[in-house]
Amino acid sequence: MSPRQQRLIRQQAEQALQKADALGVFPTPVDDVMAAAELLVASEDLADEGLLKQLRRKAGKTVRRALTKILGVVHVVSRIVYLDKAVHVAKLPFLKLHETAHAVLPWQKDLYAVTEDCEMTIAPEVAEEFEREANSFATEVIFQLDSFTQESSEQPFNILVPVQLSKQYGASVYSSIRRYVSNHPRACMVLVLERPELHSELGFTCQIRRTLSSTSFQEQFGDLNWPPFFSPSDEIGAAIPMNGKRMSGRRRVTFVDQNGDQNQCLAEAFTNTYQVFILIHSVKTLTATSVSVA
């Protein structure tokens, strides 16, 4: 998104928080934000096939296309949000705020209101842009604009900071770590891995789900060439918690930057049993007295 889009979305997020008297209230009161926006969550389960058929009959093409995701749908005109009740409880706050965005961002709600009750449809590229904007709005609201970033920056840099703050803000561990890394001035990144799978020869393997880097890490290292999976025999795999452990201590790993120079980094891991997070950061980003290596 452009800087202008981001500013507009932050303004709308701040207005939504203020309207709900939610600024500085923790965990972020998502239901209050929705109530202030005059949105109701339907009691029906979006995964119910009967409800899906009913919505498809009542709604225009925009909602029908949205239903392919089967996680959340907002009907802007009726101000009703439909959710898949099977969504993990940790993901619900973000999902609710994502659907709220479609109903409160002025340029989105007006267009959705028109398309819901006729045969018009939204161009795919516009719909994709709206999805990104809704994700951004949800993130800004749940992390209360700069509050999460400011609070996390006041603590020693480590993987437990976003994990612990996730409970305070009512966010998922994944979204909290993502926010922590993406907004951090340090050269850092996170590897999000699938749960370890037993392997007869290697012990276990862990597939990469996604990666995220801070701006300074991206500038220094660029796009690193990751292997298809990690195992106990490599530097990253050795950091993956096993045997019921939730986290591992810091381990040294070496990366080559865009100038071809080797850089000593530290890797530490946390698992919420659904996925594994490997936080990696340059040794240079920490003071000598703060570094302890397993």
Side-chain angles (χ1 to χ4, degrees), residues 170-201:
S172 68
V173 170
Y174 167 73
S175 62
S176 299
I177 293 177
R178 181 185 179 92
R179 184 73 166 183
Y180 186 63
V181 169
S182 61
N183 285 16
H184 213 288
R186 297 184 189 274
C188 60
M189 71 158 300
V190 63
L191 285 165
V192 184
L193 311 178
E194 303 287 356
R195 289 183 293 185
E197 294 185 356
L198 293 178
H199 191 281
S200 59
E201 297 179 1

Side-chain angles (χ1 to χ4, degrees), residues 69-81:
K69 293 187 178 180
I70 317 297
L71 292 179
V73 171
V74 59
H75 194 276
V76 172
V77 175
S78 63
R79 312 299 290 177
I80 298 177
V81 173

Side-chain angles (χ1 to χ4, degrees), residues 226-266:
W226 299 105
F229 60 83
F230 298 108
S231 69
S233 61
D234 56 63
E235 290 182 321
I236 299 297
I240 295 172
M242 294 296 292
N243 302 319
K245 294 182 179 179
R246 298 298 296 272
M247 63 180 300
S248 65
R250 290 173 175 165
R251 296 175 178 270
R252 289 191 183 272
V253 294
T254 303
F255 290 143
V256 177
D257 63 25
Q258 298 199 87
N259 295 323
D261 299 325
Q262 290 191 342
N263 289 259
Q264 288 294 309
C265 296
L266 298 175

